[in-house]
Amino acid sequence: MKKWLVAMLFALPTLALAEDAPTLDTGDTAWMMVSAALVLLMTPAGLALFYAGMTRSKNVLNTYAMVLGAFAVAFIAWIAAGYSMAFGDGGSLQTFIGGFGNAFLSGINWNDLSGTYPTYVFVVFQGTFAAITVAIASGSVIERIKFSTWIVFVAIWTIVVYAPITHMVWGGDGALLFDAGALDFAGGTVVHMNGGLAGLVLAYLVGKRNGYPKIAMKPMSVMLTALGAALLWFGWYGFNGGSAFGANEIAGLAYLTTTLATAFAAMVWVGLEWMVFKKPTLLGAASGVVAGLVAITPAAGFVDVTGAFIVGGVGSVVGFFGVAVLKKKLGYDDSLDAFGIHFLAGLWGALATGLLALNDQDLLWDGPLKAAGDRMGQFMVQVESVVVVGIFTLVGTVIVYYIAAAITGGGRVDDETEQLGLDEAVHGEKVLNI
């Protein structure tokens, strides 16, 4: 008996290590693989159709190509350096950026695990986030930016702007906003504020479309836009539900809040249109869907039903204000309202998370609310996060655009190309041959 007890005592450290070692869970793995596929669908299908439908017929294919190209190039850049800079060990620079130790996924084996699922699945999942973020910005400069400039911009921006912001918010211990306790469940700051503000910066740098706002620039097909919005809503279950990183109760919460906030936001936007413009439009309903999805993204896993109603409803009002009022007052040409919807609704969602997150230890990640029930302290952390992201995106986007424009001999197409339309002039194609 004594010998058995001694043997067990010596075995305890080994048993503890075995218990602490990550173990693959097939349910979580399946869910994260499906989630990555859903988020992928959001860019070359959902966002591409959403944007293409709002574009004039002579630029539809170029718009689609910009979104599809953004996904492909951004994902390659993500594997080359973005993932390492976002989630790697930054050493003395850990506060702001990860290192290059995992460039081209160096040091990561096919059988390595991130929690309960393969690290490679985590890499792909996060890569789809990187791709849609920069693709969002394309909506502000369609119909006049050079395709070559855009492709170069995407490659550099993904590494220089997106990766550091991702690191600061989600990069683990030592990262600036992660340590501060910023709550961003699925990318209100990382994705939507980041991509939306980058779009506005590009709109100012590239300049307005010829004739804007004096001539009518009608969308080619509201039906395509509505279909794109539906695909975005469908894919968003992977976006928000997948950010629970497992097939678990929090993923279920994110499913509920995402659906409710979006449905309410769609009807709020339609109601506002009905009151202001006397017409409830399908384009407005689709815009409300996206505004609701954007607003709930940072809060999806932290709020309850009441919070979802408030986040979605106010997010729709904020987005409507950005599109119908702010753009006209300031006079910028944000072609497809990337700033008006993604940045403004994302900003509201990030701040609202601090105000409406449940004081529940099982849901909260970190921060003053979790540590001491300090809601005002949490709100100030959320303010810090939106300010840091805003400044970094603003400065970084300006620098990257000028680099891309210098490499490609200027960032804007010539007047003749713009007049003819980028579909024919750049790609040699038409959306319809009739």
Side-chain angles (χ1 to χ4, degrees), residues 4-18:
W4 178 82
L5 286 172
V6 171
M8 283 297 295
L9 288 172
F10 276 107
L12 283 176
T14 303
L15 291 172
L17 287 172

Side-chain angles (χ1 to χ4, degrees), residues 98-130:
F100 291 94
N102 298 128
F104 289 98
L105 305 190
S106 174
I108 303 175
N109 296 319
W110 66 270
N111 56 352
D112 286 346
L113 298 179
S114 291
T116 56
Y117 57 94
T119 300
Y120 278 178
V121 174
F122 178 75
V123 172
V124 173
F125 180 69
Q126 292 295 336
T128 60
F129 276 58

Side-chain angles (χ1 to χ4, degrees), residues 94-239:
Q94 176 69 6
T95 300
F96 303 104
I97 197 168
F100 291 94
N102 298 128
F104 289 98
L105 305 190
S106 174
I108 303 175
N109 296 319
W110 66 270
N111 56 352
D112 286 346
L113 298 179
S114 291
T116 56
Y117 57 94
T119 300
Y120 278 178
V121 174
F122 178 75
V123 172
V124 173
F125 180 69
Q126 292 295 336
T128 60
F129 276 58
I132 197 170
T133 302
V134 69
I136 286 168
S138 70
S140 297
V141 286
I142 55 95
E143 300 194 321
R144 76 266 203 198
I145 194 172
K146 281 184 178 179
F147 189 68
S148 58
T149 304
W150 172 246
I151 293 300
V152 173
F153 175 86
V154 168
I156 301 173
W157 192 89
T158 301
I159 295 171
V160 172
V161 178
Y162 180 82
I165 286 177
T166 303
H167 178 80
M168 285 187 279
V169 177
W170 291 333
D173 292 340
L176 178 64
L177 298 173
F178 184 90
D179 274 1
L183 298 176
D184 188 347
F185 188 76
T189 54
V190 174
V191 175
H192 298 291
M193 282 187 60
N194 193 7
L197 182 56
L200 180 66
V201 172
L202 288 175
Y204 274 111
L205 294 175
V206 176
K208 299 177 183 179
R209 289 169 289 178
N210 289 333
Y212 179 87
K214 296 179 181 179
I215 64 174
M217 298 182 179
K218 295 183 179 181
M220 193 277 287
S221 172
V222 174
M223 282 298 296
L224 286 183
T225 295
L227 176 59
L231 288 171
L232 284 170
W233 195 344
F234 178 69
W236 225 286
Y237 289 111
F239 201 80

Side-chain angles (χ1 to χ4, degrees), residues 229-237 240 254-270 284-297 300 305 307-316:
L231 288 171
L232 284 170
W233 195 344
F234 178 69
W236 225 286
Y237 289 111
N240 287 356
Y255 250 54
L256 172 65
T257 56
T258 298
T259 309
L260 177 59
T262 304
F264 190 51
M267 297 317 299
V268 168
W269 193 297
V270 169
S287 298
V289 164
V290 176
L293 290 167
V294 169
I296 196 61
T297 290
V305 168
F309 269 116
I310 297 172
V311 171
V314 176
S316 191

Side-chain angles (χ1 to χ4, degrees), residues 331-346:
Y332 56 82
D333 184 11
D334 177 9
S335 313
L336 307 181
D337 299 307
F339 176 80
I341 293 180
H342 288 274
F343 178 85
L344 293 180

